[in-house]
Amino acid sequence: MKKYDAIIIGSGPNGFAAAITLQQQGLSTLIVEGANTTGGGMRTKELTLPGFKHDVCSAIHPMAMASPFMRSIPLKEYGLEFTQATYAAAHPLDSGDAGVLYHSLEETAQHLGVDAQTYTRLILPIINRWESLALDTMGPLRFPRHPLDLASFGLNALKPATWTASSFKTKKAKALWAGMAAHGIQPLSNWATSAIGLVLMAVGHRYGWPIPKNGSQSIADALAAYYISLGGEIQTGCWVKDTRELPQHKILILDLTPKQVLRVEGLQLHDSYRKQLRKYRYGMGVFKVDWALSDATPFKDAYSQQAATVHLGNTYDEIIRNELHSHSGQVVEKPFVLFAQPSQFDKSRTPEGKHIGWAYCHVPNGSIVDFTTHIENQIERFAPGFKDTILARHTFNPTQMEAYNPNYIGGDINGGVMDIFQLYTRPTLSLTPYRTSNKNVYIASSSTPPGGGVHGMCGFHAARFVLKDHFNIDVML
């Protein structure tokens, strides 16, 4: 049986990033994937009707091109192509007004009226310094390469989103901000919830919120094709319960969250380390719906018709209240909904003239409550007639989401709550969180810094430590 320098369990973006980084340095690697196809959160399937291609998990990818790792590899040469919507995001209000994230900072600021200067002052420095900020923030705690840039960003990023909202005067600016910060999937009064809002807005202006043509599976396919071109190997349909059943290897990298790591036998982890993993906290889950649609969604607001993502939650106050209630375990009648219609911008997704819809809301972890009606009512609220366009639907509650992808514990798509206590100290309190108590076993999942998203940086950093620890190779982006 062949011997490998490293085996990587899991073929999500971080599993691929770890494997590619090692393979680029001439190591022999094998990716082992439990499902029959690669991708993790980057899969596209006909969930409803034949010919309707739905993204099972993520559909819009703000971090894909903002990631230093993803930009460093030639995925376009391996078939990956992105398209862009007219607007990165829109946030309609019951009043008929809307907040809009244009690709242009100037247009966004102008649209926000009296809040233009406030918005520009917050976002422009991040846009201008993103290259350095990405390297200093999308990884473990360490002395920054550009300390002044990081300090400036950190002063705003560490604030609760509610504090940042107080600097805006208009309802649409406050609402737009709340929708961005709510991507953090936690109460917006928590410390450091401003970080995700600032980053999403800044990268929207710098790179857009790209939509992969032919679906998110195309990202996984391009990663796999590039990895194989380097000599890497992939084995699918193999759920690893005991590492002693794997081929001989020197290093094992786990694209798994702590709860899954604890289930794998043969890792030889110290009891004290296992105890730390058991204390790791997961966040809210998601309830997701995919639709096959007869027509484009008839939003009353013209911006929403042409936006990559539409945030449906109405005002800042409504979003703040409902996200807090969801976090507290309550069933919210009007949840904050993230909606996308990729078929508006990628005609390959559906039969001619038809459309797909994609949406989810945040719900209590592990909830089995059916939120289909709640989500559809929120869409109908801002797009009267939406329900009449539904041809078929497919739903995922948090329990089903975890059954589909065991990384999503209780439906938590972020690999654990990303609050101030687990923003960088994930999954353990360590300056090298990718290392475990076994010097030959590493963790590379979204439960390590910088957390969830299709960016591959968790996997890159895990591989970077492997190379430094065992092969005396120092790699940088």
Side-chain angles (χ1 to χ4, degrees):
M1 185 178 290
K2 184 174 180 180
K3 179 181 178 180
Y4 296 91
D5 289 315
I7 290 179
I8 299 88
I9 298 178
S11 68
N14 291 308
F16 270 120
I20 286 170
T21 302
L22 297 180
Q23 199 70 38
Q24 286 174 327
Q25 298 302 317
L27 276 65
S28 60
T29 64
L30 169 69
I31 292 176
V32 178
E33 167 59 47
N36 292 324
T37 59
T38 62
M42 307 176 294
R43 292 194 177 105
T44 303
K45 296 180 180 291
E46 293 182 344
L47 296 175
T48 56
L49 298 174
F52 290 80
K53 300 176 185 177
H54 303 275
D55 290 320
V56 182
C57 300
S58 51
I60 313 299
H61 299 273
M63 299 309 297
M65 288 298 98
S67 160
F69 171 76
M70 296 291 279
R71 291 199 311 275
S72 75
I73 55 178
L75 295 184
K76 187 174 182 179
E77 296 176 18
Y78 292 86
L80 179 59
E81 187 176 354
F82 286 109
T83 187
Q84 297 275 2
T86 306
Y87 310 105
H91 191 121
L93 299 169
D94 281 342
S95 64
D97 206 349
V100 183
L101 186 70
Y102 292 75
H103 296 294
S104 161
L105 170 72
E106 293 76 14
E107 289 180 285
T108 302
Q110 185 178 8
H111 183 82
L112 294 177
V114 297
D115 286 311
Q117 286 189 344
T118 300
Y119 182 79
T120 301
R121 188 170 61 251
L122 274 174
I123 305 300
L124 183 59
I126 305 173
I127 298 172
N128 290 340
R129 300 167 185 163
W130 177 252
E131 301 299 328
S132 65
L133 285 172
L135 294 172
D136 284 336
T137 60
M138 297 186 74
L141 284 174
R142 56 185 172 178
F143 189 81
R145 300 186 200 179
H146 305 275
L148 294 180
D149 289 351
L150 183 61
S152 176
F153 170 72
L155 288 173
N156 289 320
L158 292 176
K159 294 178 182 177
T162 50
W163 288 21
T164 302
S166 66
S167 61
F168 293 114
K169 296 181 174 63
T170 63
K171 284 188 175 181
K172 65 181 176 183
K174 287 178 179 288
L176 181 65
W177 169 251
M180 296 293 168
H183 280 255
I185 317 182
Q186 58 183 302
L188 272 64
S189 56
N190 283 4
W191 285 94
T193 43
S194 286
I196 187 67
L198 293 171
V199 168
L200 287 176
M201 286 173 153
V203 301
H205 294 312
R206 184 147 186 151
Y207 302 103
W209 283 17
I211 303 166
K213 287 191 175 181
N214 299 307
S216 294
Q217 184 70 50
S218 64
I219 304 177
D221 291 346
L223 285 166
Y226 176 57
Y227 170 62
I228 291 171
S229 77
L230 297 172
E233 299 178 34
I234 300 173
Q235 180 181 348
T236 59
C238 180
W239 292 99
V240 178
K241 296 181 180 179
D242 190 328
T243 62
R244 289 164 291 198
E245 299 172 355
L246 292 169
Q248 192 174 356
H249 58 279
K250 182 176 181 180
I251 304 298
L252 184 64
I253 300 179
L254 309 173
D255 186 3
L256 306 173
T257 76
K259 191 171 183 178
Q260 296 163 272
V261 172
L262 291 168
R263 293 171 180 164
V264 177
E265 297 181 14
L267 294 177
Q268 298 180 335
L269 301 176
H270 296 165
D271 288 343
S272 59
Y273 181 78
R274 295 174 68 86
K275 184 177 180 180
Q276 291 182 69
L277 293 186
R278 283 192 288 270
K279 291 181 178 179
Y280 189 73
R281 295 175 298 113
Y282 291 90
M284 285 190 281
V286 301
F287 188 100
K288 180 174 178 289
V289 188
D290 289 280
W291 299 272
L293 304 171
S294 62
D295 297 283
T297 301
F299 284 108
K300 292 184 288 186
D301 167 61
Y303 295 109
S304 299
Q305 295 172 9
Q306 293 297 317
T309 298
V310 185
H311 294 156
L312 303 173
N314 197 33
T315 63
Y316 163 83
D317 290 333
E318 188 174 319
I319 294 170
I320 293 289
R321 180 175 64 252
N322 288 334
E323 287 292 279
L324 179 60
H325 288 171
S326 294
H327 175 78
S328 302
Q330 300 180 40
V331 175
V332 174
E333 291 295 320
K334 296 181 178 181
F336 171 66
V337 172
L338 296 94
F339 177 88
Q341 193 161 358
S343 55
Q344 280 279 68
F345 317 101
D346 177 10
K347 302 302 181 185
S348 70
R349 303 289 191 97
T350 59
E352 186 175 356
K354 306 302 180 184
H355 285 275
I356 54 170
W358 172 104
Y360 70 86
C361 68
H362 305 147
V363 301
N365 188 284
S367 173
I368 58 172
V369 175
D370 188 342
F371 279 80
T372 306
T373 299
H374 301 72
I375 290 175
E376 291 182 354
N377 284 346
Q378 276 290 73
I379 300 172
E380 186 79 15
R381 175 182 178 183
F382 298 97
F386 167 75
K387 293 181 180 180
D388 295 333
T389 70
I390 297 174
L391 301 174
R393 69 171 63 82
H394 177 276
T395 64
F396 265 129
N397 68 30
T399 301
Q400 293 165 329
M401 192 68 100
E402 181 179 349
Y404 167 76
N405 186 339
N407 260 357
Y408 300 149
I409 303 296
D412 179 350
I413 59 176
N414 262 345
V417 65
M418 292 179 64
D419 61 13
I420 190 67
F421 303 106
Q422 286 191 170
L423 190 61
Y424 286 103
T425 55
R426 51 195 294 126
T428 61
L429 182 59
S430 171
L431 293 176
T432 55
Y434 315 95
R435 294 173 178 149
T436 70
S437 60
N438 183 333
K439 65 182 180 65
N440 296 319
V441 177
Y442 293 74
I443 296 179
S445 70
S446 58
S447 296
T448 62
V454 177
H455 47 65
M457 292 299 290
C458 308
F460 166 76
H461 285 296
R464 185 170 64 87
F465 278 102
V466 168
L467 290 168
K468 184 176 181 180
D469 293 346
H470 296 273
F471 300 95
N472 198 30
I473 298 173
D474 194 9
V475 296
M476 302 290 286
L477 289 173

